Amino acid sequence: MLILSIDTSAIASAALLTGEGEVIASFATEDTRSHAEVLAPGIAGLLAGAGVTGADLDAVVTGVGPGPFTGLRAGIATARTLAFAWDKPLHGIMSLDAIAVDAALDAWRLGIDEFAVATDARRKEVYWAAYRSTGGTPELLDGPHVSDPAQVPALPVYGAGAGLYPEVLHAVKDFANAQPTAEALGRTAAARLVRGLPLLPSTPLYLRESDAKVPGPRKRAL
């Protein structure tokens, strides 16, 4: 099995993985605002470098957020287009799970039963979800949400949201700058697909209303 995984909920990233979760090739940016410009060329280079075409893939996986409107749309629209063009199944994964998959293993090693994952939602807010580590595997308990950092439960927090608000959130060492990546997202998807577990549709988890509004009727001039 070959899986193309894409996530643009924070940085732009893509990865090519086997059904066992082995990463064959990947790329990721550090910029959180250039998704549309870098994603398609990055995927093309990724596949070409691995000697893989769309026909060779078995599935396309996309992170569905939560994340900012513009970046999230770029990844989901790209994944939908490629899956349609190549006639491949398309699956969604909550992007916070891409941090939780490694966080749960770390929490298990540290003896932490429950933890939270938080990423930057801008506007002095964070996207977050709470999990339980069951033998190193994440189990979603609550979320996703967008809120003031002070509303995140008093748990060890993994993810870049914790690094942004260290005075409020209890950041876990070595994970305070972690962002969702296509590699981790793909590993999560591969494990679920192999076990026959359901994945999400590609519907984006925006959690906020759009800043763009449809103009109301024009007021009549007196």
Side-chain angles (χ1 to χ4, degrees):
M1 178 183 286
L2 281 178
I3 299 170
L4 175 65
S5 175
I6 298 168
D7 189 85
T8 55
S9 62
I11 60 174
S13 62
L16 183 66
L17 305 96
T18 68
E20 291 73 39
E22 177 187 355
V23 177
I24 298 172
S26 66
F27 89 91
T29 68
E30 294 184 2
D31 184 9
T32 60
R33 297 178 183 272
S34 61
H35 306 79
E37 294 84 357
V38 303
L39 189 58
I43 292 173
L46 180 77
L47 297 178
V52 171
T53 68
D56 299 320
L57 297 174
D58 294 285
V60 178
V61 174
T62 181
V64 295
F69 282 86
T70 304
L72 203 53
R73 274 199 302 263
I76 293 175
T78 299
R80 286 176 174 176
T81 300
L82 295 178
F84 176 80
W86 295 333
D87 192 24
K88 302 298 178 181
L90 175 62
H91 305 286
I93 293 280
M94 186 173 73
S95 298
L96 296 178
D97 287 353
I99 297 176
V101 64
D102 292 321
L105 186 58
D106 183 74
W108 177 64
R109 290 169 177 165
L110 296 175
I112 297 171
D113 293 326
E114 296 182 6
F115 63 92
V117 170
T119 58
D120 183 17
R122 302 173 188 172
R123 304 182 191 174
K124 298 182 179 180
E125 293 183 325
V126 292
Y127 298 116
W128 65 271
Y131 296 82
R132 175 183 291 116
S133 177
T134 304
T137 299
E139 175 190 349
L140 181 65
L141 298 176
D142 187 22
H145 302 285
V146 59
S147 73
D148 182 282
Q151 296 180 28
V152 177
L155 296 169
V157 183
Y158 293 77
L164 287 171
Y165 304 100
E167 70 284 357
V168 179
L169 302 178
H170 307 285
V172 176
K173 184 180 179 181
D174 299 331
F175 283 84
N177 297 307
Q179 301 277 25
T181 66
E183 285 191 17
L185 194 87
R187 287 190 280 114
T188 302
R192 294 180 184 176
L193 287 171
V194 167
R195 294 165 60 191
L197 298 176
L199 280 76
L200 299 174
S202 62
T203 306
L205 297 171
Y206 286 134
L207 302 190
R208 282 193 187 126
E209 293 186 3
S210 173
D211 289 335
K213 302 294 183 183
V214 177
R218 297 181 62 181
K219 295 181 179 180
R220 297 181 61 183
L222 296 178

